[in-house]
Amino acid sequence: MQSTSPTSASTLAVDNSSQATDHPLPQTPFYSIEYPGYVLPASVPLAVSNLGGQSALDSAFKRSASKTETLIELKLRPDQPFAHPVPGDVVSTNNILLKIVRKRRKHKLEDGTTGEYTTEAVGIIPKTARFRSMVDYQYQPDMNDPISKLRVAMDEMDVDALQTYTIPEEKADYTVPVQGASGITLDMDVNLDPELTGVTVPQSQQESQTSMPATTSNLRLFPPPLFSRQTIPQAYNFKTNTASMVSTSVDETTGEEKKRLINRMRWKGYGPASIMFSDTVVPDKPPQVVEEGRNLIDKKILKKLEELFIQRPVWTRMSLFNQLAPSETREILNSKALLPLVCYVFQDGPWRDTLVRFSYDPRKDRSARFFQRLYFRNANHPIARPSVITRRQDRSAANTQIRAMEEGTEKEADRKRAIE
């Protein structure tokens, strides 16, 4: 017969008092609206009316509603026909509606509580109307304008107003004076606070303009159905460029000091020094930008290039690369500054695109004639000159078509003469 120790028995026991009590979850559906504003119990009918009425909400929350029917528009100014509503969407949710009751006590308990709270699950919330989109821009035109009155008559189905409407005569009063606004400059928007414009008007100028009436725009502009299609705000997170630095320069003539932001990581061109065939002076050193990058290159490859240019003053790029290992050629192509440190190039002439040693002028050395380059171009090559071939084919086809039309016209004339 086995015996069980008290310690092992206590570990196997389960404390039922620590478990949560099971409560049934009612399946009564409720629908929630996250109204973007304060709603009091007395203003619930007004909030429902601003959402389009009870019928519009029933259509948006029904189970078989389409995507267009689930769109809700909140009109905060329903009496203004030109006000743009706030768009809302009906989304699926898995929320629970809780009923919280607080029972107040006449006297506080020792722990400081003044009441007792009870919570009860009333139902589930399968759908919720949310207004997470940005509100469109608002613009209110003059409601005394005939177009505004026409819009109101169309909304109210005022037949008499629609029948008696006539197009008003167009006037050139695009600006009208503002009554009682003397002393405001003509180029200042009277709808803005002068302190917000940041423009300080001298006292003398203000005194000279006191007799001038301020004007405002009288353009009959009416807002479109939608100003902006952007409904989701963008996470801009503006940050200054970490590679930017302030550069200061002084004008030599005026002595004025100017500051500007430059990018320290900007690309620097390490192109070789180049001259035209008609230039009389040849370069004897690399450009200043290339010289500044001398400490960033491989010294062994630079020394080898200098030795090659001592052996031969003029090289083509391909012939020079044939004297180097593949790894050295790759380094020359990647660094961009190795070749400009040892040679210059001609932009035209018989030594065009050849690599020439600094201070060496092949035009003054008769033996440099062996380093001249000859160009051969095949205009009929389908890859090298496709545009030339296309033009020639189009021209040939056009000539053939014209020739055929002329021959057809001559044959038709001969046939008519034969019949006569």
Side-chain angles (χ1 to χ4, degrees):
M1 187 173 180
Q2 295 180 348
S3 62
T4 305
S5 63
T7 305
S8 61
S10 62
T11 56
L12 297 176
V14 178
D15 188 4
N16 295 327
S17 62
S18 62
Q19 292 183 349
T21 307
D22 295 336
H23 295 278
L25 179 62
Q27 297 300 314
T28 305
F30 290 87
Y31 300 112
S32 173
I33 298 177
E34 297 179 359
Y35 193 87
Y38 295 102
V39 180
L40 298 175
S43 61
V44 171
L46 179 59
V48 174
S49 176
N50 293 343
L51 292 170
Q54 187 63 42
S55 60
L57 295 177
D58 294 340
S59 301
F61 282 112
K62 67 181 181 181
R63 181 175 299 178
S64 60
S66 61
K67 187 174 181 180
T68 56
E69 293 177 341
T70 57
L71 298 178
I72 300 178
E73 291 185 347
L74 172 60
K75 297 181 179 180
L76 299 177
R77 293 185 296 171
D79 56 332
Q80 299 292 342
F82 296 100
H84 292 174
V86 183
D89 299 319
V90 176
V91 297
S92 300
T93 55
N94 296 316
N95 299 334
I96 301 175
L97 179 61
L98 299 178
K99 179 182 178 181
I100 302 175
V101 179
R102 175 189 176 187
K103 295 181 180 179
R104 296 185 179 181
R105 297 181 181 272
K106 294 182 180 180
H107 304 285
K108 291 184 179 181
L109 300 179
E110 296 179 357
D111 56 355
T113 58
T114 59
E116 181 182 355
Y117 293 88
T118 59
T119 305
E120 178 186 0
V122 179
I124 58 175
I125 304 177
K127 291 184 178 181
T128 302
R130 294 175 176 175
F131 296 88
R132 303 292 178 86
S133 302
M134 293 191 300
V135 183
D136 196 14
Y137 299 100
Q138 305 292 328
Y139 178 78
Q140 181 62 31
D142 184 11
M143 296 305 297
N144 295 324
D145 191 273
I147 299 297
S148 301
K149 296 180 179 180
L150 177 63
R151 172 65 184 274
V152 174
M154 295 176 63
D155 291 342
E156 297 177 355
M157 296 300 295
D158 189 349
V159 180
D160 296 336
L162 294 176
Q163 290 179 347
T164 59
Y165 174 77
T166 57
I167 300 176
E169 183 182 356
E170 184 68 25
K171 298 180 180 180
D173 54 345
Y174 303 122
T175 57
V176 293
V178 179
Q179 300 295 334
S182 61
I184 304 177
T185 56
L186 293 176
D187 57 345
M188 183 182 297
D189 191 353
V190 296
N191 297 320
L192 293 179
D193 188 352
E195 296 182 358
L196 299 178
T197 59
V199 179
T200 57
V201 182
Q203 186 66 24
S204 58
Q205 184 177 355
Q206 292 180 1
E207 294 176 356
S208 62
Q209 293 180 350
T210 53
S211 60
M212 297 182 182
T215 59
T216 182
S217 175
N218 193 32
L219 294 178
R220 301 169 62 239
L221 302 176
F222 294 89
L226 191 67
F227 276 111
S228 175
R229 294 181 295 176
Q230 188 73 21
T231 59
I232 301 176
Q234 300 288 339
Y236 188 50
N237 293 334
F238 174 77
K239 296 181 180 179
T240 58
N241 189 0
T242 57
S244 298
M245 60 176 295
V246 179
S247 175
T248 305
S249 59
V250 179
D251 193 346
E252 297 180 356
T253 57
T254 61
E256 182 182 0
E257 182 177 312
K258 297 182 179 180
K259 295 183 179 180
R260 64 169 184 167
L261 292 175
I262 62 173
N263 189 359
R264 293 178 298 178
M265 306 300 294
R266 69 184 186 275
W267 180 82
K268 296 181 180 180
Y270 292 111
S274 59
I275 62 173
M276 304 295 293
F277 185 76
S278 58
D279 295 340
T280 57
V281 181
V282 298
D284 57 351
K285 61 181 180 179
Q288 182 64 27
V289 178
V290 179
E291 189 65 34
E292 293 175 356
R294 182 181 291 270
N295 298 329
L296 304 177
I297 61 175
D298 192 340
K299 304 298 183 181
K300 296 182 179 179
I301 301 179
L302 178 62
K303 184 177 180 180
K304 190 171 184 178
L305 288 174
E306 293 174 349
E307 294 176 352
L308 290 174
F309 274 95
I310 292 176
Q311 299 175 8
R312 176 174 164 179
V314 181
W315 291 88
T316 61
R317 188 178 296 268
M318 188 58 61
S319 61
L320 182 64
F321 288 165
N322 289 335
Q323 313 299 321
L324 304 171
S327 59
E328 296 173 340
T329 303
R330 192 181 306 110
E331 179 65 24
I332 293 175
L333 295 175
N334 293 335
S335 65
K336 306 292 184 182
L338 279 167
L339 287 178
L341 284 171
V342 294
C343 62
Y344 70 94
V345 296
F346 276 97
Q347 297 183 11
D348 59 352
W351 291 280
R352 175 185 174 185
D353 294 337
T354 56
L355 308 177
V356 186
R357 186 181 63 204
F358 283 122
S359 302
Y360 177 76
D361 192 350
R363 297 166 297 184
K364 299 179 180 179
D365 188 3
R366 293 178 57 87
S367 61
R369 65 184 184 276
F370 299 107
F371 304 127
Q372 296 181 2
R373 295 192 64 179
L374 298 179
Y375 286 86
F376 297 93
R377 295 183 180 181
N378 184 8
N380 296 323
H381 196 279
I383 299 178
R385 295 290 298 277
S387 58
V388 175
I389 296 178
T390 303
R391 288 197 297 269
R392 289 180 178 176
Q393 289 178 351
D394 295 343
R395 193 181 300 112
S396 177
N399 295 337
T400 303
Q401 186 177 3
I402 294 173
R403 192 179 300 108
M405 293 175 60
E406 293 177 352
E407 292 178 356
T409 304
E410 293 177 357
K411 290 181 180 180
E412 184 66 20
D414 294 342
R415 187 179 65 82
K416 291 181 179 181
R417 285 195 295 268
I419 293 175
E420 294 176 355

